[in-house]
Amino acid sequence: QVQLVESGGGLVQAGGSLRLSCAASRRTFAAGWFRQAPGKEREFVAGISLSGSSTYYSDPVKGRFTISRDNAKNTVYLQMNNLKPEDTAGYYCVARVLSGSYDWVNPSAYAYWGQGTQVTVSS
C-alpha cells in the first residue's frame, strides 16, 4: 500500500504560480498528477519516471508546468507557472509501483491516488 498526501493548492490570480507537493509513504515506480474540474472529465496533467529522467505533459500545460521528484523524501512536485482560469480544478497525485511499460495518460495505470488539493485561478 502507498499513501499519498497532497499539499500546496490554493487561490491565485491568473498569471501567478503555485507548487503542489505529494508526499508518498514509500518510493514509487512512477508518479504523476491528474486534475478534474466540476462537470468535466478527469484529465492527465503530468507524469514522471522513477529516476526523474522521463517526464510527460499534457498539451494544455506543456511549457507552463514542471514535474519533479525528490526520491530521498519520496515526494513529487508540480510547479505551475502562468496559471490560467482554465487550470482551476482538483489536482490529484497518482503513483504506480509496478515496473514495465504503461500508458502515462491512462488513469488505470496508477493504483494509488491522493485525496486531492484544490487549485483556483481567478481572472
Side-chain angles (χ1 to χ4, degrees), residues 36-91:
Q36 187 167 22
K40 293 190 176 181
E41 295 280 325
R42 181 172 48 184
E43 65 171 340
F44 171 82
V45 175
I48 189 166
S49 62
L50 172 61
S51 67
S53 61
S54 295
T55 56
Y56 191 71
Y57 299 93
S58 64
D59 287 342
V61 309
K62 200 172 295 182
R64 300 187 297 122
F65 291 12
T66 302
I67 190 170
S68 61
R69 67 189 300 167
D70 183 341
N71 286 339
K73 298 180 179 179
N74 292 336
T75 300
V76 175
Y77 304 97
L78 185 68
Q79 178 66 44
M80 305 185 294
N81 297 329
N82 190 22
L83 283 160
K84 304 176 180 181
E86 51 263 43
D87 294 318
T88 295
Y91 282 72

Side-chain angles (χ1 to χ4, degrees), residues 9-48:
L11 173 64
V12 64
Q13 288 188 331
S17 298
L18 283 174
R19 188 175 83 153
L20 305 183
S21 298
C22 173
S25 56
R26 67 177 181 94
R27 186 169 298 183
T28 60
F29 177 71
W33 295 88
F34 281 72
R35 68 185 182 185
Q36 187 167 22
K40 293 190 176 181
E41 295 280 325
R42 181 172 48 184
E43 65 171 340
F44 171 82
V45 175
I48 189 166

